[in-house]
Amino acid sequence: LVENNPEIGHILSDPAVLRQSMESARNPELMREQMRTTDRAMSNIESHPEGFNALRRMYNTFQDPLDSLPQQGGAPAPSGARVSSEVDRDQ
């Protein structure tokens, strides 16, 4: 995954990102605040022309490779994982 997407390698090797992730996992209120912030940012992006397409490209670049990891190891994908065909169908 990291070999195909060096951006993810940078994120996973950043101690500040790892610290923030652990803190949000321990603190439900912080997790809710981060979700609200993310939802607002995505809404702002969607309001721009071609914004939805930019989000879809970003999803295909980052989320699809993450969703395919468990399938490569023989384990089933998480039940909440959406595959790209589901995203395309929802449009």
Side-chain angles (χ1 to χ4, degrees):
L1 177 67
V2 174
E3 292 173 4
N4 293 334
N5 299 291
E7 303 89 0
I8 293 175
H10 293 296
I11 291 170
L12 294 176
S13 65
D14 185 356
V17 171
L18 295 175
R19 231 182 337 271
Q20 184 179 15
S21 298
M22 293 304 293
E23 182 59 31
S24 66
R26 286 191 298 255
N27 185 342
E29 185 56 37
L30 180 59
M31 177 68 83
R32 282 189 288 275
E33 180 62 31
Q34 288 177 339
M35 293 299 290
R36 282 191 294 270
T37 302
T38 301
D39 288 344
R40 172 57 69 192
M42 290 178 69
S43 177
N44 290 341
I45 293 170
E46 285 177 343
S47 69
H48 291 287
E50 288 296 311
F52 182 80
N53 289 330
L55 288 174
R56 185 176 53 193
R57 284 190 302 273
M58 185 172 55
Y59 176 88
N60 290 333
T61 300
F62 292 103
Q63 191 62 43
D64 278 351
L66 290 173
D67 287 346
S68 68
L69 281 179
Q71 294 168 355
Q72 292 172 354
S79 60
R82 297 180 69 188
V83 293
S84 61
S85 61
E86 291 178 35
V87 173
D88 293 339
R89 185 181 63 226
D90 291 344
Q91 296 178 18

